[in-house]
Amino acid sequence: MKVWRKNFVRQEEFMLRRIVIVFNIIFIIITLQMATILEVYALNKTVKINSIDKAIMIDCKKVEGVSFVPLRSTIEALGWAVEYNPSNDSITCTKDNDIVVLNIGSIEACVDDQKILLDKAPVVICGMTYIQSKAIAELFGIKV
């Protein structure tokens, strides 16, 4: 009887290990697929704003694993005016009575004279200014 029980316990342990390995493999495959889907969406030429796809002229970029969108084309698609000041690398976005001021390379932004700290600073890539997609929601009150 003791030999039978030892063999049964070994078989149970072996099956349990196989099940754990299979679940781990499935989890890894799903995780890799989700990362690919998110990356493809971030690198697409459209930005989803308020549940509406807006076409933009320049590709979105990934910087250090974070999705960035072109500032001017994204904001102008929302009806904002964008003005760049090369003397101090500032960007002023206006719509009606709302004003948003950004500085390239700085995480500080001003929304109607109120300072807000961004997770990532706006960056210039190939002569175009890009801003973290999350910052669009924080600064302009838009679901991205």
Side-chain angles (χ1 to χ4, degrees):
M1 279 295 211
K2 289 183 182 183
V3 174
W4 181 80
R5 283 187 187 174
K6 280 185 180 179
N7 286 339
F8 184 73
V9 170
R10 285 185 192 152
Q11 287 177 352
E12 267 188 355
E13 289 175 2
F14 180 72
M15 288 302 293
L16 185 60
R17 286 182 187 154
R18 289 178 87 183
I19 291 171
V20 169
I21 289 170
V22 168
F23 277 120
N24 284 337
I25 290 171
I26 291 170
F27 177 75
I28 290 169
I29 290 171
I30 290 171
T31 303
L32 291 175
Q33 289 296 323
M34 289 303 296
T36 303
I37 290 168
L38 293 175
E39 185 174 338
V40 168
Y41 182 75
L43 297 176
N44 198 343
K45 291 185 180 184
T46 61
V47 176
K48 192 168 220 153
I49 301 171
N50 289 341
S51 301
I52 300 170
D53 284 331
K54 299 270 185 175
I56 56 176
M57 300 303 286
I58 306 297
D59 286 333
C60 299
K61 304 287 183 194
K62 267 202 147 171
V63 179
E64 298 174 1
V66 178
S67 297
F68 279 73
V69 295
L71 178 69
R72 180 177 294 276
S73 56
T74 303
I75 300 307
E76 285 179 347
L78 296 168
W80 289 71
V82 179
E83 186 178 313
Y84 173 66
N85 184 347
S87 65
N88 61 0
D89 277 341
S90 70
I91 301 161
T92 304
C93 306
T94 56
K95 182 177 181 182
D96 301 328
N97 294 328
D98 298 321
I99 300 172
V100 176
V101 179
L102 302 160
N103 291 301
I104 295 172
S106 173
I107 61 169
E108 280 190 13
C110 256
V111 178
D112 297 327
D113 295 325
Q114 184 180 13
K115 283 190 179 181
I116 293 178
L117 293 178
L118 305 173
D119 291 344
K120 300 282 184 181
V123 296
V124 175
I125 302 171
C126 298
M128 300 290 299
T129 303
Y130 287 80
I131 187 169
Q132 184 181 8
S133 57
K134 177 182 172 186
I136 298 290
E138 291 174 358
L139 297 174
F140 300 94
I142 299 161
K143 280 175 44 179
V144 179

